[in-house]
Tab-separated table of all heavy atoms in Angstrom:
chain	number	residue	atom	x	y	z
A	163	PRO	N	-19.970	-1.504	-34.407
A	163	PRO	CA	-19.765	-1.555	-32.981
A	163	PRO	C	-19.399	-2.958	-32.422
A	163	PRO	O	-19.924	-3.980	-33.022
A	163	PRO	CB	-21.045	-1.009	-32.262
A	163	PRO	CG	-22.065	-1.330	-33.398
A	163	PRO	CD	-21.387	-1.247	-34.685
A	164	ALA	N	-18.725	-3.062	-31.350
A	164	ALA	CA	-18.457	-4.250	-30.647
A	164	ALA	C	-19.673	-4.520	-29.776
A	164	ALA	O	-20.561	-3.893	-29.606
A	164	ALA	CB	-17.147	-4.191	-29.775
A	165	PRO	N	-19.699	-5.821	-29.355
A	165	PRO	CA	-20.841	-6.231	-28.421
A	165	PRO	C	-20.945	-5.300	-27.321
A	165	PRO	O	-20.071	-4.795	-26.670
A	165	PRO	CB	-20.408	-7.678	-28.031
A	165	PRO	CG	-19.497	-8.132	-29.094
A	165	PRO	CD	-18.793	-6.923	-29.527
A	166	ALA	N	-22.298	-5.160	-26.887
A	166	ALA	CA	-22.623	-4.222	-25.834
A	166	ALA	C	-22.186	-4.829	-24.469
A	166	ALA	O	-21.951	-5.932	-24.279
A	166	ALA	CB	-24.126	-3.977	-25.833
A	167	GLY	N	-22.113	-3.984	-23.502
A	167	GLY	CA	-21.744	-4.360	-22.083
A	167	GLY	C	-20.984	-3.167	-21.519
A	167	GLY	O	-20.230	-2.441	-22.160
A	168	ARG	N	-21.225	-2.875	-20.235
A	168	ARG	CA	-20.605	-1.755	-19.578
A	168	ARG	C	-19.097	-1.922	-19.422
A	168	ARG	O	-18.598	-3.083	-19.017
A	168	ARG	CB	-21.174	-1.552	-18.200
A	168	ARG	CG	-20.825	-0.419	-17.408
A	168	ARG	CD	-21.203	0.900	-18.115
A	168	ARG	NE	-20.732	2.053	-17.349
A	168	ARG	CZ	-20.905	3.278	-17.725
A	168	ARG	NH1	-21.416	3.565	-18.868
A	168	ARG	NH2	-20.395	4.319	-17.049
A	169	LEU	N	-18.328	-0.944	-19.805
A	169	LEU	CA	-16.894	-0.987	-19.592
A	169	LEU	C	-16.578	-0.804	-18.066
A	169	LEU	O	-16.915	0.065	-17.482
A	169	LEU	CB	-16.194	0.219	-20.289
A	169	LEU	CG	-16.144	0.097	-21.864
A	169	LEU	CD1	-15.471	1.274	-22.465
A	169	LEU	CD2	-15.251	-1.129	-22.314
A	170	GLU	N	-15.891	-1.835	-17.554
A	170	GLU	CA	-15.397	-1.809	-16.244
A	170	GLU	C	-13.963	-2.279	-16.158
A	170	GLU	O	-13.454	-3.027	-16.945
A	170	GLU	CB	-16.322	-2.815	-15.319
A	170	GLU	CG	-17.808	-2.457	-15.353
A	170	GLU	CD	-18.030	-1.229	-14.430
A	170	GLU	OE1	-17.117	-0.721	-13.755
A	170	GLU	OE2	-19.111	-0.637	-14.585
A	171	TYR	N	-13.191	-1.732	-15.156
A	171	TYR	CA	-11.869	-2.111	-14.903
A	171	TYR	C	-11.505	-1.789	-13.498
A	171	TYR	O	-12.110	-0.952	-12.766
A	171	TYR	CB	-10.828	-1.375	-15.882
A	171	TYR	CG	-10.869	0.144	-15.712
A	171	TYR	CD1	-9.812	0.582	-14.934
A	171	TYR	CD2	-11.717	0.905	-16.329
A	171	TYR	CE1	-9.737	1.998	-14.836
A	171	TYR	CE2	-11.753	2.278	-16.208
A	171	TYR	CZ	-10.659	2.809	-15.465
A	171	TYR	OH	-10.607	4.205	-15.264
A	172	ASP	N	-10.523	-2.621	-13.019
A	172	ASP	CA	-9.977	-2.274	-11.653
A	172	ASP	C	-8.902	-1.316	-11.810
A	172	ASP	O	-7.903	-1.495	-12.504
A	172	ASP	CB	-9.419	-3.641	-11.061
A	172	ASP	CG	-10.607	-4.581	-10.835
A	172	ASP	OD1	-11.672	-4.177	-10.505
A	172	ASP	OD2	-10.302	-5.850	-11.027
A	173	GLU	N	-8.915	-0.234	-10.955
A	173	GLU	CA	-7.895	0.676	-10.857
A	173	GLU	C	-6.532	0.144	-10.160
A	173	GLU	O	-6.688	-0.364	-9.076
A	173	GLU	CB	-8.407	1.952	-10.181
A	173	GLU	CG	-7.364	3.172	-10.260
A	173	GLU	CD	-8.042	4.365	-9.801
A	173	GLU	OE1	-9.093	4.316	-9.213
A	173	GLU	OE2	-7.305	5.507	-9.876
A	174	VAL	N	-5.508	0.364	-10.774
A	174	VAL	CA	-4.193	-0.015	-10.122
A	174	VAL	C	-3.719	1.126	-9.266
A	174	VAL	O	-3.392	2.186	-9.715
A	174	VAL	CB	-3.112	-0.384	-11.136
A	174	VAL	CG1	-1.883	-0.853	-10.496
A	174	VAL	CG2	-3.558	-1.509	-12.052
A	175	LYS	N	-3.551	0.836	-7.994
A	175	LYS	CA	-3.070	1.790	-6.993
A	175	LYS	C	-1.632	1.616	-6.666
A	175	LYS	O	-1.093	0.651	-6.728
A	175	LYS	CB	-3.907	1.824	-5.807
A	175	LYS	CG	-5.355	2.391	-6.005
A	175	LYS	CD	-6.074	2.488	-4.739
A	175	LYS	CE	-7.513	2.994	-4.847
A	175	LYS	NZ	-8.217	3.127	-3.592
A	176	GLU	N	-0.935	2.799	-6.358
A	176	GLU	CA	0.408	2.761	-5.883
A	176	GLU	C	0.560	1.920	-4.600
A	176	GLU	O	-0.192	2.205	-3.718
A	176	GLU	CB	0.858	4.183	-5.725
A	176	GLU	CG	2.400	4.371	-5.536
A	176	GLU	CD	3.195	4.239	-6.766
A	176	GLU	OE1	2.562	4.419	-7.908
A	176	GLU	OE2	4.350	3.850	-6.751
A	177	TYR	N	1.521	1.064	-4.614
A	177	TYR	CA	1.770	0.177	-3.412
A	177	TYR	C	2.280	1.040	-2.299
A	177	TYR	O	3.291	1.812	-2.615
A	177	TYR	CB	2.638	-0.949	-3.824
A	177	TYR	CG	3.164	-1.709	-2.702
A	177	TYR	CD1	2.258	-2.522	-1.963
A	177	TYR	CD2	4.509	-1.767	-2.312
A	177	TYR	CE1	2.713	-3.352	-0.893
A	177	TYR	CE2	4.967	-2.535	-1.262
A	177	TYR	CZ	3.953	-3.373	-0.540
A	177	TYR	OH	4.413	-4.089	0.545
A	178	SER	N	1.746	0.910	-1.111
A	178	SER	CA	2.202	1.720	0.019
A	178	SER	C	2.541	0.852	1.269
A	178	SER	O	1.778	0.060	1.547
A	178	SER	CB	1.075	2.710	0.394
A	178	SER	OG	1.321	3.398	1.582
A	179	PHE	N	3.773	1.164	1.754
A	179	PHE	CA	4.154	0.511	3.016
A	179	PHE	C	3.266	0.979	4.137
A	179	PHE	O	2.989	0.188	5.016
A	179	PHE	CB	5.625	0.932	3.331
A	179	PHE	CG	6.591	0.100	2.572
A	179	PHE	CD1	6.231	-0.617	1.532
A	179	PHE	CD2	7.910	0.287	2.851
A	179	PHE	CE1	7.261	-1.419	0.799
A	179	PHE	CE2	8.924	-0.442	2.141
A	179	PHE	CZ	8.552	-1.219	1.059
A	180	LEU	N	2.876	2.205	4.126
A	180	LEU	CA	2.081	2.730	5.272
A	180	LEU	C	0.778	1.961	5.389
A	180	LEU	O	0.402	1.684	6.497
A	180	LEU	CB	1.805	4.232	5.024
A	180	LEU	CG	0.911	4.972	6.065
A	180	LEU	CD1	1.564	4.869	7.439
A	180	LEU	CD2	0.582	6.379	5.654
A	181	GLU	N	0.120	1.713	4.279
A	181	GLU	CA	-1.184	0.964	4.325
A	181	GLU	C	-0.997	-0.492	4.835
A	181	GLU	O	-1.794	-1.117	5.513
A	181	GLU	CB	-1.867	1.038	3.015
A	181	GLU	CG	-2.366	2.428	2.664
A	181	GLU	CD	-2.791	2.561	1.158
A	181	GLU	OE1	-2.069	2.088	0.376
A	181	GLU	OE2	-3.773	3.254	0.922
A	182	ASP	N	0.198	-1.084	4.456
A	182	ASP	CA	0.543	-2.414	4.905
A	182	ASP	C	0.639	-2.406	6.460
A	182	ASP	O	0.261	-3.331	7.154
A	182	ASP	CB	1.878	-2.849	4.353
A	182	ASP	CG	1.741	-3.631	3.125
A	182	ASP	OD1	0.569	-3.804	2.682
A	182	ASP	OD2	2.696	-4.081	2.510
A	183	LEU	N	1.338	-1.378	7.025
A	183	LEU	CA	1.466	-1.223	8.431
A	183	LEU	C	0.206	-1.141	9.167
A	183	LEU	O	-0.039	-1.632	10.281
A	183	LEU	CB	2.327	-0.008	8.773
A	183	LEU	CG	3.863	-0.056	8.316
A	183	LEU	CD1	4.503	1.267	8.611
A	183	LEU	CD2	4.620	-1.212	9.257
A	184	LEU	N	-0.728	-0.391	8.597
A	184	LEU	CA	-2.043	-0.123	9.339
A	184	LEU	C	-2.915	-1.415	9.314
A	184	LEU	O	-3.805	-1.452	10.244
A	184	LEU	CB	-2.835	1.032	8.569
A	184	LEU	CG	-2.163	2.409	8.610
A	184	LEU	CD1	-2.874	3.394	7.842
A	184	LEU	CD2	-2.039	2.897	10.066
A	185	VAL	N	-2.726	-2.348	8.433
A	185	VAL	CA	-3.592	-3.492	8.376
A	185	VAL	C	-2.787	-4.759	9.046
A	185	VAL	O	-3.449	-5.705	9.218
A	185	VAL	CB	-4.055	-3.855	6.990
A	185	VAL	CG1	-4.866	-2.702	6.397
A	185	VAL	CG2	-2.874	-4.151	6.074
A	186	SER	N	-1.545	-4.517	9.285
A	186	SER	CA	-0.775	-5.661	9.815
A	186	SER	C	-1.146	-5.872	11.263
A	186	SER	O	-1.306	-4.937	12.034
A	186	SER	CB	0.717	-5.353	9.661
A	186	SER	OG	1.500	-6.367	10.199
A	187	ARG	N	-1.250	-7.151	11.631
A	187	ARG	CA	-1.554	-7.561	12.984
A	187	ARG	C	-0.506	-8.249	13.682
A	187	ARG	O	-0.568	-8.615	14.809
A	187	ARG	CB	-2.799	-8.503	12.928
A	187	ARG	CG	-4.007	-7.818	12.306
A	187	ARG	CD	-5.355	-8.674	12.519
A	187	ARG	NE	-6.374	-8.060	11.940
A	187	ARG	CZ	-7.626	-8.507	12.095
A	187	ARG	NH1	-7.907	-9.643	12.723
A	187	ARG	NH2	-8.639	-7.918	11.577
A	188	ARG	N	0.692	-8.287	13.037
A	188	ARG	CA	1.853	-8.926	13.626
A	188	ARG	C	3.038	-8.024	13.700
A	188	ARG	O	3.314	-7.336	12.736
A	188	ARG	CB	2.242	-10.289	12.885
A	188	ARG	CG	1.143	-11.388	12.794
A	188	ARG	CD	1.712	-12.492	12.052
A	188	ARG	NE	3.017	-13.075	12.619
A	188	ARG	CZ	3.720	-13.917	11.948
A	188	ARG	NH1	3.315	-14.371	10.743
A	188	ARG	NH2	4.932	-14.355	12.443
A	189	VAL	N	3.658	-7.937	14.784
A	189	VAL	CA	4.884	-7.077	14.887
A	189	VAL	C	6.050	-8.082	14.911
A	189	VAL	O	6.408	-8.677	15.968
A	189	VAL	CB	4.749	-6.251	16.255
A	189	VAL	CG1	6.185	-5.460	16.470
A	189	VAL	CG2	3.636	-5.336	16.261
A	190	ASN	N	6.674	-8.143	13.788
A	190	ASN	CA	7.820	-8.933	13.681
A	190	ASN	C	8.976	-8.144	13.013
A	190	ASN	O	8.884	-6.978	12.839
A	190	ASN	CB	7.590	-10.200	12.828
A	190	ASN	CG	6.838	-9.876	11.555
A	190	ASN	OD1	6.981	-8.731	10.950
A	190	ASN	ND2	6.079	-10.844	11.038
A	191	LEU	N	10.057	-8.849	12.581
A	191	LEU	CA	11.174	-8.126	11.972
A	191	LEU	C	10.831	-7.360	10.624
A	191	LEU	O	11.200	-6.282	10.451
A	191	LEU	CB	12.313	-9.124	11.669
A	191	LEU	CG	13.662	-8.547	11.230
A	191	LEU	CD1	14.187	-7.517	12.198
A	191	LEU	CD2	14.695	-9.605	10.941
A	192	ALA	N	9.979	-8.084	9.821
A	192	ALA	CA	9.484	-7.452	8.637
A	192	ALA	C	8.672	-6.160	8.919
A	192	ALA	O	8.784	-5.151	8.270
A	192	ALA	CB	8.616	-8.462	7.778
A	193	TYR	N	7.868	-6.196	9.972
A	193	TYR	CA	7.110	-5.142	10.337
A	193	TYR	C	8.044	-3.875	10.768
A	193	TYR	O	7.720	-2.796	10.312
A	193	TYR	CB	6.203	-5.374	11.466
A	193	TYR	CG	5.312	-4.315	12.083
A	193	TYR	CD1	3.990	-4.118	11.457
A	193	TYR	CD2	5.786	-3.460	13.056
A	193	TYR	CE1	3.167	-3.161	11.987
A	193	TYR	CE2	4.948	-2.380	13.468
A	193	TYR	CZ	3.621	-2.228	12.946
A	193	TYR	OH	2.832	-1.232	13.338
A	194	ILE	N	9.013	-4.241	11.594
A	194	ILE	CA	10.015	-3.158	11.949
A	194	ILE	C	10.651	-2.565	10.779
A	194	ILE	O	10.808	-1.270	10.735
A	194	ILE	CB	11.004	-3.758	12.994
A	194	ILE	CG1	10.204	-4.094	14.268
A	194	ILE	CG2	12.061	-2.734	13.263
A	194	ILE	CD1	11.087	-4.957	15.259
A	195	VAL	N	11.190	-3.415	9.883
A	195	VAL	CA	11.947	-2.899	8.650
A	195	VAL	C	10.913	-1.981	7.775
A	195	VAL	O	11.310	-0.877	7.428
A	195	VAL	CB	12.464	-4.042	7.860
A	195	VAL	CG1	13.079	-3.346	6.535
A	195	VAL	CG2	13.555	-4.769	8.590
A	196	THR	N	9.740	-2.410	7.690
A	196	THR	CA	8.650	-1.663	6.887
A	196	THR	C	8.444	-0.403	7.610
A	196	THR	O	8.329	0.735	6.962
A	196	THR	CB	7.430	-2.480	6.801
A	196	THR	OG1	7.639	-3.705	6.123
A	196	THR	CG2	6.369	-1.654	5.963
A	197	LEU	N	8.376	-0.325	8.951
A	197	LEU	CA	8.107	0.884	9.738
A	197	LEU	C	9.272	1.862	9.534
A	197	LEU	O	9.019	3.095	9.428
A	197	LEU	CB	7.863	0.476	11.195
A	197	LEU	CG	7.610	1.709	12.192
A	197	LEU	CD1	6.372	2.420	11.785
A	197	LEU	CD2	7.654	1.202	13.642
A	198	VAL	N	10.471	1.410	9.610
A	198	VAL	CA	11.644	2.197	9.409
A	198	VAL	C	11.654	2.809	8.079
A	198	VAL	O	11.828	4.102	7.916
A	198	VAL	CB	12.946	1.419	9.666
A	198	VAL	CG1	14.165	2.256	9.246
A	198	VAL	CG2	13.081	1.000	11.145
A	199	CYS	N	11.446	2.030	6.982
A	199	CYS	CA	11.385	2.536	5.576
A	199	CYS	C	10.295	3.520	5.410
A	199	CYS	O	10.468	4.625	4.744
A	199	CYS	CB	11.192	1.302	4.553
A	199	CYS	SG	12.579	0.261	4.529
A	200	CYS	N	9.148	3.265	5.991
A	200	CYS	CA	8.034	4.188	5.916
A	200	CYS	C	8.287	5.541	6.585
A	200	CYS	O	8.034	6.507	6.012
A	200	CYS	CB	6.759	3.525	6.464
A	200	CYS	SG	5.247	4.522	6.295
A	201	THR	N	8.801	5.410	7.770
A	201	THR	CA	9.130	6.639	8.537
A	201	THR	C	10.214	7.451	7.865
A	201	THR	O	9.898	8.740	7.755
A	201	THR	CB	9.625	6.207	9.987
A	201	THR	OG1	8.574	5.347	10.520
A	201	THR	CG2	9.868	7.497	10.790
A	202	ILE	N	11.257	6.909	7.386
A	202	ILE	CA	12.267	7.802	6.814
A	202	ILE	C	11.871	8.386	5.497
A	202	ILE	O	12.281	9.485	5.108
A	202	ILE	CB	13.674	7.016	6.742
A	202	ILE	CG1	13.513	5.844	5.858
A	202	ILE	CG2	14.156	6.676	8.189
A	202	ILE	CD1	14.917	5.065	5.715
A	203	SER	N	10.975	7.519	4.755
A	203	SER	CA	10.482	8.055	3.517
A	203	SER	C	9.636	9.299	3.730
A	203	SER	O	9.742	10.287	3.036
A	203	SER	CB	9.734	6.923	2.821
A	203	SER	OG	10.515	5.899	2.325
A	204	ILE	N	8.664	9.187	4.609
A	204	ILE	CA	7.722	10.254	4.900
A	204	ILE	C	8.494	11.569	5.372
A	204	ILE	O	8.357	12.638	5.071
A	204	ILE	CB	6.657	9.932	5.798
A	204	ILE	CG1	5.716	8.827	5.138
A	204	ILE	CG2	5.798	11.080	6.257
A	204	ILE	CD1	4.699	8.250	6.095
A	205	ALA	N	9.472	11.240	6.281
A	205	ALA	CA	10.360	12.290	6.873
A	205	ALA	C	11.063	13.027	5.799
A	205	ALA	O	11.223	14.249	5.791
A	205	ALA	CB	11.214	11.689	8.032
A	206	LEU	N	11.670	12.220	4.808
A	206	LEU	CA	12.360	12.840	3.742
A	206	LEU	C	11.509	13.727	2.887
A	206	LEU	O	11.950	14.864	2.512
A	206	LEU	CB	13.160	11.791	2.927
A	206	LEU	CG	14.067	12.376	1.937
A	206	LEU	CD1	15.236	13.114	2.546
A	206	LEU	CD2	14.573	11.251	0.966
A	207	ALA	N	10.293	13.235	2.585
A	207	ALA	CA	9.390	14.022	1.695
A	207	ALA	C	9.084	15.330	2.451
A	207	ALA	O	9.078	16.444	1.770
A	207	ALA	CB	8.114	13.193	1.462
A	208	LEU	N	8.783	15.306	3.762
A	208	LEU	CA	8.477	16.511	4.522
A	208	LEU	C	9.651	17.451	4.582
A	208	LEU	O	9.565	18.725	4.476
A	208	LEU	CB	8.033	16.144	5.900
A	208	LEU	CG	6.646	15.377	6.001
A	208	LEU	CD1	6.406	14.950	7.454
A	208	LEU	CD2	5.569	16.236	5.541
């Protein structure tokens, strides 16, 4: 056996524009473009 110790790791999550929008506090051009991309992506999925 290898040296003891609990196996731990950080889970890699899928990057989401929606979560960026929810935590963003500035409404600028990047925010608007992200909002448009997020909206049309969700709309296309539905």
Side-chain angles (χ1 to χ4, degrees):
R168 183 67 180 171
L169 286 178
E170 297 290 346
Y171 65 94
D172 295 324
E173 188 174 3
V174 179
K175 291 188 176 181
E176 189 78 20
Y177 173 66
S178 167
F179 282 8
L180 178 60
E181 290 165 322
D182 268 4
L183 291 171
L184 293 176
V185 300
S186 177
R187 300 189 179 186
R188 295 180 58 191
V189 178
N190 51 22
L191 187 60
Y193 181 94
I194 294 171
V195 172
T196 303
L197 179 62
V198 169
C199 292
C200 181
T201 303
I202 62 177
S203 296
I204 294 173
L206 185 67
L208 294 173

